[in-house]
Amino acid sequence: GWQGGGQDRVQNQSRGAKNTRTQIDLKSKIEVANSRLASLPLDDATKRPYLEGLLQVSKLQTELRSLRARKFDEPKEENTMARATVVKEILPVVDNFDRAQASLKAQTDAPPAIIDLYEDISADIKFVLETFDMKVIPSVGAEFDYNLHEAVQQVPSEEYDADIVCREFQKGYTIAGKLLRPASVAVSSGK
């Protein structure tokens, strides 16, 4: 249960403290070995294997630090992937809501109270998606970017220059800076 998580955290913190002490001990041992080696009356050919060994130890320390940093980042990546999976499941619902809201706004006889309600719900949806670190990809008026946009049409446009997105068919999203879904767009071919 929840108590085990706290114990794991305490154990991980004590392991981290132990690893830090080990690194400090190892660094001090290397410094002592370097000073002893420098004080020995040996020629360069004799010192060379020792120096190469110390260089390998230093490289291993760097690699160990890199592995620890990567291990620290893995849970963040897994968390982002889990959020992306959940959000992908609800995106069709969000898309349908956006289409309904656009249709309602297009109706001139729609009651203002209903339009206001849709706008409030839309703001709530946007807030929830932002808590997932999700952002809408800018499209209409933006330069076409094949990393973020999926062009389904190229059309002549008086309003937009060539290679500028002139219409959005479906919103695109990123989550934690990674592409979740590209924006489905039409791109201007110019005049």
Side-chain angles (χ1 to χ4, degrees), residues 67 81 127 135 137 140 176:
L67 285 171
M81 289 172 50
F127 176 77
K135 299 194 179 0
I137 296 171
V140 176

Side-chain angles (χ1 to χ4, degrees), residues 2-182:
W2 60 273
Q3 291 176 334
Q7 291 171 348
D8 289 344
R9 222 178 351 266
V10 170
Q11 288 174 348
N12 287 338
Q13 288 172 350
S14 70
R15 267 191 234 121
K18 183 179 178 184
N19 289 336
T20 303
R21 282 193 304 274
T22 302
Q23 286 178 347
I24 293 170
D25 291 344
L26 190 55
K27 283 181 184 178
S28 63
K29 287 179 183 178
I30 289 172
E31 289 172 9
V32 168
N34 275 334
S35 65
R36 284 185 185 168
L37 186 61
S39 67
L40 292 176
L42 302 173
D43 61 0
D44 287 341
T46 310
K47 290 181 182 179
R48 185 178 188 141
Y50 294 107
L51 294 174
E52 287 174 355
L54 290 173
L55 181 62
Q56 286 178 340
V57 168
S58 177
K59 286 180 181 177
L60 288 172
Q61 279 183 312
T62 302
E63 189 174 332
L64 181 63
R65 281 192 296 273
S66 174
L67 285 171
R68 282 193 184 119
R70 226 178 300 144
K71 184 178 178 186
F72 179 75
D73 289 341
E74 282 176 4
K76 289 180 186 176
E77 181 68 26
E78 289 172 6
N79 185 3
T80 299
M81 289 172 50
R83 286 184 287 156
T85 301
V86 170
V87 170
K88 278 183 180 180
E89 293 295 319
I90 65 169
L91 277 182
V93 175
V94 173
D95 293 336
N96 287 336
F97 181 83
D98 287 344
R99 282 190 282 275
Q101 184 179 18
S103 174
L104 189 63
K105 283 182 179 179
Q107 294 178 13
T108 55
D109 61 339
I114 293 179
I115 293 174
D116 289 344
L117 180 63
Y118 265 80
E119 287 178 3
D120 289 345
I121 294 171
S122 180
D124 290 344
I125 290 171
K126 183 179 178 185
F127 176 77
V128 169
L129 295 178
E130 286 173 356
T131 63
F132 280 95
D133 197 15
M134 196 165 138
K135 299 194 179 0
V136 174
I137 296 171
S139 57
V140 176
E143 186 173 345
F144 176 77
D145 181 348
Y146 67 90
N147 293 309
L148 301 173
H149 302 116
E150 179 180 34
V152 295
Q153 211 175 29
Q154 189 170 21
V155 295
S157 172
E158 295 289 324
E159 187 178 349
Y160 296 101
D161 292 334
D163 297 327
I164 300 296
V165 175
C166 58
R167 184 170 176 204
E168 178 182 73
F169 298 108
Q170 187 176 49
K171 288 182 182 178
Y173 297 93
T174 60
I175 190 163
K178 296 184 180 191
L179 183 65
L180 182 64
R181 179 178 79 185

